[in-house]
Amino acid sequence: MRWRMVSSGISSFLLLLVPLTKATNSWTIDHFGFFKNGTFKQRYLVADQHWHKSGGPILFYTGNEGDITWFCNNTGFMWDVAEQLGAMLVFAEHRYYGESLPFGAESFRDAERLNFLSSEQALADYAALVGALKKSRPGAEGSPVIAVGGSYGGMLAAWFRMKYPHVVVGALAASAPIWQFPGMVPCGVFYQIVTEVFSKGGAHCSANVRRSWIAVDRLASTDEGLRWLAAEFGLCSPLSRGDGLKSWLQETWGNLAMVNYPYGADFLQPLPAWPVQEACKHLGFGAGVTDQQLLSGVAEAAKLYYNYTGQAECLDISQTATGQLGTRGWFYQACTEMVMPMCTDGVQDMFEPEEWDFQAFSDECFHEFGVRPRPDWAETAYGGRDIKSHSNIVFSNGGMDPWTGGGVTSSLSDSLVAIVIPEGAHHLDLRYNSEYDPQNVLIARAREVKYFRKWIEEASTSPFILISD
Amino acid sequence: MRWRMVSSGISSFLLLLVPLTKATNSWTIDHFGFFKNGTFKQRYLVADQHWHKSGGPILFYTGNEGDITWFCNNTGFMWDVAEQLGAMLVFAEHRYYGESLPFGAESFRDAERLNFLSSEQALADYAALVGALKKSRPGAEGSPVIAVGGSYGGMLAAWFRMKYPHVVVGALAASAPIWQFPGMVPCGVFYQIVTEVFSKGGAHCSANVRRSWIAVDRLASTDEGLRWLAAEFGLCSPLSRGDGLKSWLQETWGNLAMVNYPYGADFLQPLPAWPVQEACKHLGFGAGVTDQQLLSGVAEAAKLYYNYTGQAECLDISQTATGQLGTRGWFYQACTEMVMPMCTDGVQDMFEPEEWDFQAFSDECFHEFGVRPRPDWAETAYGGRDIKSHSNIVFSNGGMDPWTGGGVTSSLSDSLVAIVIPEGAHHLDLRYNSEYDPQNVLIARAREVKYFRKWIEEASTSPFILISD
């Protein structure tokens, strides 16, 4: 796969015993054109039991590529800090995901209906939503709003502050790979970090993954081998060739590294603490094992990821991401604006070499949707590496998160601040506090709250002149 | 008319004896959607004879609602400063104006084709053009770019810096009424300033305009009176009622105030120096004149505006603006995003009271184009009064320009600077230096150049890190 989902996911979610209002607002489907004047309902969730009415801040989650309740339940950090900040929490669903479908079930039917799925349209929805909230909730008109997001949501939070600084006073962009676009970072960084994480995960771990590809090739060269592979991996369908299995495994290792959290968590799949280390226990062979022995270990590692609870009947290699993520929507976004090159070289990473082939990707997109990606647009629109004119954005990244390769890991100014959490995977800081948290993530969260307070205070001291008819 | 053209215009232009390259680039018609993947040719003009190759700055005129050669010829300031700054001049034509028509002659046929006429699309064109210039012109990749514009072009220059600060290091927004939107300034300011200008233009001048409306009504109440009016004003067509004449006169006084320059100039119409004062010479009556005497004076003032050279055969009250401005395009823009409320009360101004009636305006737009305006969008998109997070914009305004009521006339920060030219009309500072210029406009231009130098210097000292595959 030449594109991958940015966000991690969750298949089931906790029921929160807090008052949470579900609401919808109607927005124009096309903020940038007037010919199509239809509207759609955007869903959002609000929790205001800790909110200091009359000006208390609003933490606004800029929803990513999936159902908003899922992000709501997984962004425990916002719930943890709501009381100390006296903040209202708002979780806004991204159009074309969850229940916010501009054309209902037909939204993904063709490029004409998908045409309004873009980051710019989503940000305009969020700007309109903040405006509506400030008008409709007594006391909110003076509330400073801070954008919060993780992964693609973190990119949106950062871009929200860049494009609409009059709507949000600052942004926390957690694990936001805003530089994972053509020409900004080397395309190989993602899988290099995955490799490092597996190297640290256990003795010989990355070396065995490195050896596994040729082993699959050899077994996949015979019908008997293919049958063996399907049985060993417990696949739902027979295998006719090795490619699909290899791609699936590559994606799996990437996802596993993303969710390598210090405690058991219920994500793409239920996982134990430090799941990479657990998986690597099955990949500790020295040299001299047979292909079958090696791949048995690989299968155990994969099953740990997909079937830790033992409840899955079989593994489906056509799917790697959670059902909560909008895969078709994200595929379209990757095929239009969110062109995030990936590549491997088999030297700096443990994978088979594969160059970033834009033409092939473009053809795939055209075949799928009838549209072609514009690889330079994200840089033109959002600034690429040159974002220093902006202010009040905290970029947090986990040292073990593969997406960190495309993130901002050095501060660019006093108010464009980078926080790196060495033991962190994908936006660990956005999760609830846990007794298993490394010290560094607690420090990171405290720093983030400090910046929130700073922005809130700056907002309260600057005059706001309102003149109206 | 509930909407008016922002820019002043010119019916003929000077031929410049300087090397000027005309070029076009092709851009996607829809920067924000992928379903329609057509492209169109955008025209732009380049003058680089003073440019310090290898990093010299680029002054980029963000074209407004008209043919670009016209703005090119009228923005003498840029030509005056090109040599001292070692700057390349670029004048970029706004889509749907001049020769930059996405659908050729069919561009205005219906709302479907007009759909891509917006400030956001235009700014995206400009961003793409800067990127293309930097790639195609050797030595330009490190050139700092400064946006310059007047009137709607000034609004675009300011918004260009706000939305694309990585593309332009700063902007000069001359006579840019970025606050002439609902809820930002009182809707009556425009015509209040017109009234002040006429009050200062001569004894009893504004008072006589104030009295003229009822005089028109009285004469228009009889057939004989209508014939008299048509003859006195030298109209091309007979009059059937008084409304059209009154609207036309109201627009005329507004335009006259806009172009009240200290020297003879060739604008909407060729005019003498201080044309308001000249017009007011015909409006100096004390009390006690008849309707005909009063309106004879009004007619002389109108003829001064429309027929100073005496070459026009008759006056056409269906048209007030120059042919160089794209009236249909701007009508569409006013009917969609550029909702700039105007009103009069007959007390603070010399006109007949007319409230801002959004519903009527919206119906007019729907009748004309099949679209309805979104009055809140410009504020959501561009920030309204709250623009203090931005930087490096100089807002210049003329104290006698009616559009100044919607402009930024007090500095908002160290780098959001307001310059007011007391005797200035509509972007006087963008014109060529003239021996008749008041001192204040010379001072204003010097300050503007100083800010240019500052932004250029800051750009050269900040590191720019390029990492690519």
Side-chain angles (χ1 to χ4, degrees), chain B residues 180-204:
Chain B
Q180 194 87 37
F181 288 97
M184 297 184 206
V185 296
C187 58
V189 288
F190 182 94
Y191 285 110
Q192 285 166 26
I193 295 174
V194 176
T195 302
E196 281 171 39
V197 172
F198 273 66
S199 295
K200 292 177 185 160
H204 313 298

Side-chain angles (χ1 to χ4, degrees), chain A residues 1 10 28 33 52 69 142 152 164 256 348 357 363 370 458:
Chain A
M1 279 168 65
I10 187 169
T28 180
H52 289 161
T69 43
Y152 171 50
Y164 296 88
L256 193 55
Q348 299 176 91
D357 183 345
D363 291 341
E458 281 168 358

Side-chain angles (χ1 to χ4, degrees), chain A residues 133 147 209 234 259 315 364 366 429:
Chain A
L133 284 167
V209 172
V259 298
L315 304 193
E364 188 184 347
F366 189 74
D429 48 336

Side-chain angles (χ1 to χ4, degrees), chain A residues 433-453:
Chain A
N433 282 323
S434 157
E435 58 185 306
Y436 298 103
D437 276 329
Q439 186 72 1
N440 285 317
V441 74
L442 303 177
I443 292 171
R445 289 184 189 128
R447 289 183 67 194
E448 289 158 3
V449 172
K450 210 164 144 211
Y451 279 103
F452 288 179
R453 290 193 187 283

Side-chain angles (χ1 to χ4, degrees), chain A residues 51-294:
Chain A
W51 184 49
H52 289 161
K53 289 178 175 43
S54 192
I58 298 173
L59 299 185
F60 186 99
Y61 188 90
T62 42
N64 347 6
E65 72 280 27
D67 186 296
I68 192 60
T69 43
W70 173 51
F71 294 111
C72 175
N73 292 331
N74 274 280
T75 315
F77 167 72
M78 286 172 70
W79 296 94
D80 280 341
V81 306
E83 189 173 0
Q84 54 175 305
L85 292 176
M88 179 195 306
L89 303 181
V90 177
F91 297 85
E93 190 160 72
H94 192 300
R95 53 166 60 198
Y96 287 84
Y97 296 102
E99 291 176 11
S100 303
L101 305 177
F103 303 101
E106 300 295 299
S107 297
F108 304 95
R109 177 168 291 283
D110 50 32
E112 190 170 5
R113 287 177 179 82
L114 278 162
N115 191 52
F116 309 101
L117 170 53
S118 74
S119 56
E120 288 89 351
Q121 296 279 11
L123 291 177
D125 292 335
Y126 298 153
L129 177 55
V130 170
L133 284 167
K134 288 194 160 192
K135 282 194 185 122
S136 64
R137 295 196 161 239
E141 54 281 356
S143 289
V145 182
I146 294 172
V148 178
S151 209
Y152 171 50
M155 297 161 85
L156 290 170
W159 293 336
F160 198 24
R161 170 61 185 172
M162 292 184 202
K163 294 292 187 186
Y164 296 88
H166 51 287
V167 177
V168 291
V169 299
L172 169 57
S175 296
I178 60 164
W179 290 343
Q180 194 86 38
F181 288 96
M184 297 184 207
V185 295
C187 58
V189 288
F190 182 94
Y191 285 110
Q192 286 166 26
I193 296 174
V194 176
T195 302
E196 281 171 38
V197 172
F198 273 64
S199 295
K200 294 177 185 162
H204 312 297
C205 192
S206 64
N208 281 312
V209 172
R210 189 186 290 274
R211 281 185 228 141
S212 68
W213 314 115
I214 193 82
V216 170
D217 285 345
R218 283 192 284 254
L219 275 154
S221 66
T222 68
D223 285 347
E224 191 192 334
L226 286 165
R227 280 193 297 272
W228 183 89
L229 284 168
E232 190 67 20
F233 281 85
L235 301 184
C236 300
S237 306
L239 267 184
S240 55
R241 44 187 301 149
D243 299 16
L245 183 69
K246 290 194 290 183
S247 305
W248 177 75
L249 285 169
Q250 177 165 334
E251 291 299 309
T252 302
W253 307 143
N255 289 350
L256 193 55
M258 278 171 66
V259 298
N260 195 32
Y261 295 126
Y263 42 79
D266 219 341
F267 275 159
L268 276 164
Q269 300 290 342
L271 288 173
W274 301 117
V276 171
Q277 278 84 309
E278 292 302 313
C280 283
K281 287 176 181 167
H282 301 288
L283 293 165
F285 310 105
V289 292
T290 63
D291 287 347
Q292 273 102 327
Q293 282 169 314
L294 176 59

